[in-house]
Amino acid sequence: MNSTDFIVARHDLQQCKSIETRLPDATALPEDALLVKIDRFAFTANNITYAVLGDQLKYWQLFPAPEDFGNIPVWGFGDVIASNHPDIAIGERLFGYFPMATHLVIEAADVSKRSLRDGAAHRQGVAPVYNAYARVGGDPAFAGRQGDYQALLRPLFMLSFLVDAHLAEHEFYGARSVMLSSASSKTAFGLAHLLHTLRKDIRVIGLTSAANNDFVRSLGCYDDVVTYDRVTSSLPSDTPVALVDMAGNSELRATLHRHFGDQMKYSGRIGLTHRSSSPDEPELPGARPSWFFAPDQIRKRAKEWGPDGIDLRFGAAWSGLAPMLDRWLKITEGSGPATVKQVYLDTLNGRVPPQQGHILSLAE
Ligand SMILES: NC(=O)c1ccc[n+]([C@@H]2O[C@H](COP(=O)([O-])OP(=O)(O)OC[C@H]3O[C@@H](n4cnc5c(N)ncnc54)[C@H](OP(=O)(O)O)[C@@H]3O)[C@@H](O)[C@H]2O)c1
């Protein structure tokens, strides 16, 4: 049996193709291994960022591909179709980090009632969150449309949730408003929703492109929406602000820091949606820009909040977000290598409308 894998050229992301790889026979699986059929996965700008940072953050090592190519990790669902592990039955449904492929062999380790881990040697040395699979069969929160929302938003909203907790813990570093770049992104509007509902005295400002202005305004969780070309003319520079930067656009960040000067109280680097990040950024006035990386924060919070501390708090936050999603997002399902390629290239080249949530499968 073969797996269909979608791979991209590591140093020229516009080049991509599907290939067939040979799978081990179900009867020849290594001890404790599972053969998983990947059923559906989400695809957003976040996956493009995984590719951009593939070398730096070791994303390419998770799902090996032929030389000079990489398989981009995606969040989604898979069903166990063969099992050599005594506690995992055929038919188990898993949620977690998968390759863009039709199949994956997982070396099941640390199997518990709710989760397992892929113990494959090549997957070690990355943050634990990338090797954990939730056993979600029969859980309505991970089924049907709710499951699609989980695949699309769970990893992104985790970041939103962690940034909200971080800023609140530090009393917003003295800022009275929070600016979010790429305000139309799912990661940004998840955070805007939390700030809007939980931090009533903080003003939430969305920065976006002219094309996405109407969408961002329609969400109702931003107090103000400003297009990138108007940031200096529209935003008063004399009140303390925090920047949560999903766009990763060096020019925009420099403009904002110079405009606000010492009033820039916090500058968190989150994403790279614009892919216009210069490796040599100058010293900027105001707070020093620093990376905020969800897996590091998850480790920190797990220690502080105890084993179930994140799940309980995140679950409460998710239940506030979930009712908004039918209005905010339109799920578009697509299958087969040609469709996956088109969605990949559209996402890479910024052609996906922000309300669209792509759920894909490589199987025809
Ligand atoms: N640090 C972490 O741990 C962490 C965790 C989660 C997410 N993130 C990052 O947050 C970012 C947002 O991810 P997402 O999945 O939420 O994004 P998304 O929903 O797919 O966001 C799409 C938006 O990004 C902007 N954009 C996308 N592609 C573009 C392009 N080629 N050119 C210009 N603008 C483009 C546009 O927003 P505008 O027009 O509004 O700019 C677009 O509406 C990603 O970089 C992701 O990696 C980081």
Side-chain angles (χ1 to χ4, degrees):
M1 195 160 100
N2 284 350
S3 171
T4 303
D5 295 10
F6 180 80
I7 57 174
V8 304
R10 292 187 187 194
H11 302 297
D12 175 9
L13 295 180
Q14 301 290 341
Q15 264 195 64
C16 56
K17 60 183 177 186
S18 291
I19 57 166
E20 297 288 304
T21 57
R22 188 95 194 114
L23 290 168
D25 204 65
T27 53
L29 280 177
E31 197 183 346
D32 290 344
L34 316 174
L35 178 58
V36 179
K37 185 169 185 294
I38 300 165
D39 178 44
R40 53 212 281 117
F41 56 83
F43 201 86
T44 73
N46 183 42
N47 304 95
I48 302 294
T49 301
Y50 289 147
V52 171
L53 299 177
D55 286 325
Q56 208 178 319
L57 296 184
K58 302 188 191 163
Y59 292 120
W60 293 137
Q61 97 181 32
L62 289 167
F63 306 115
E67 207 182 340
D68 295 332
F69 281 81
N71 194 318
I72 300 178
V74 288
W75 292 92
F77 295 91
D79 298 310
V80 174
I81 57 168
S83 171
N84 238 352
H85 192 288
D87 300 330
I88 305 286
I90 289 175
E92 274 262 3
R93 193 156 173 84
L94 303 176
F95 173 77
Y97 218 39
F98 285 103
M100 294 181 80
T102 53
H103 295 82
L104 174 69
V105 174
I106 289 176
E107 293 179 28
D110 301 339
V111 175
S112 71
K113 204 168 139 227
R114 284 165 44 195
S115 66
L116 57 87
R117 184 172 71 76
D118 190 346
H122 66 273
R123 287 185 68 162
Q124 307 317 306
V126 296
V129 66
Y130 295 132
N131 285 328
Y133 292 87
R135 301 173 70 181
V136 297
D139 183 344
F142 286 83
R145 190 58 9 124
Q146 292 311 310
D148 294 340
Y149 290 149
Q150 296 277 0
L152 268 168
L153 274 144
R154 193 178 180 85
L156 307 175
F157 190 59
M158 179 58 82
L159 182 284
S160 318
F161 162 78
L162 293 164
V163 172
D164 170 71
H166 177 83
L167 289 177
E169 183 176 86
H170 291 89
E171 294 176 350
F172 290 81
Y173 294 88
R176 308 298 308 144
S177 50
V178 177
M179 294 179 296
L180 289 79
S181 68
S182 272
S184 63
S185 68
K186 293 162 199 64
T187 309
F189 68 62
L191 174 58
H193 158 80
L194 287 173
L195 296 171
H196 180 73
T197 49
L198 301 177
R199 321 292 172 194
K200 298 282 184 204
D201 51 346
I202 293 292
R203 215 169 159 70
V204 190
I205 303 170
L207 311 180
T208 190
S209 52
N212 293 329
N213 188 30
D214 288 349
F215 170 75
V216 178
R217 284 182 185 279
S218 76
L219 295 170
C221 55
Y222 290 99
D223 296 304
D224 242 328
V225 182
V226 177
T227 53
Y228 296 126
D229 54 334
R230 298 183 62 96
V231 288
T232 50
S233 55
S234 297
L235 296 169
S237 60
D238 56 354
T239 51
V241 295
L243 171 63
V244 180
D245 184 16
M246 270 38 95
N249 181 325
S250 299
E251 206 181 308
L252 173 68
R253 188 168 40 243
T255 302
L256 290 167
H257 273 258
R258 291 188 182 121
H259 181 62
F260 286 101
D262 288 344
Q263 297 286 21
M264 181 69 85
K265 300 296 183 192
Y266 172 82
S267 181
R269 299 185 64 177
I270 308 295
L272 298 170
T273 58
H274 289 190
R275 301 209 313 287
S276 310
S277 208
S278 155
D280 314 300
E281 296 199 350
E283 283 281 321
L284 295 170
R288 197 185 177 82
S290 59
W291 277 100
F292 188 102
F293 187 49
D296 293 343
Q297 284 288 318
I298 291 172
R299 270 188 281 218
K300 172 178 176 306
R301 293 302 188 184
K303 274 190 206 138
E304 291 170 4
W305 292 344
D308 290 329
I310 294 182
D311 283 356
L312 284 172
R313 290 169 174 84
F314 182 78
W318 181 268
S319 60
L321 177 79
M324 316 304 291
L325 299 178
D326 280 342
R327 190 162 65 79
W328 286 354
L329 287 178
K330 188 173 163 296
I331 302 287
T332 308
E333 295 179 46
S335 59
T339 303
V340 168
K341 180 177 181 178
Q342 191 58 53
V343 171
Y344 166 73
L345 288 172
D346 285 347
T347 309
L348 179 68
N349 295 306
R351 293 192 297 254
V352 176
Q355 62 274 22
Q356 199 136 7
H358 282 292
I359 297 289
L360 300 172
S361 159
L362 265 161
E364 289 283 7

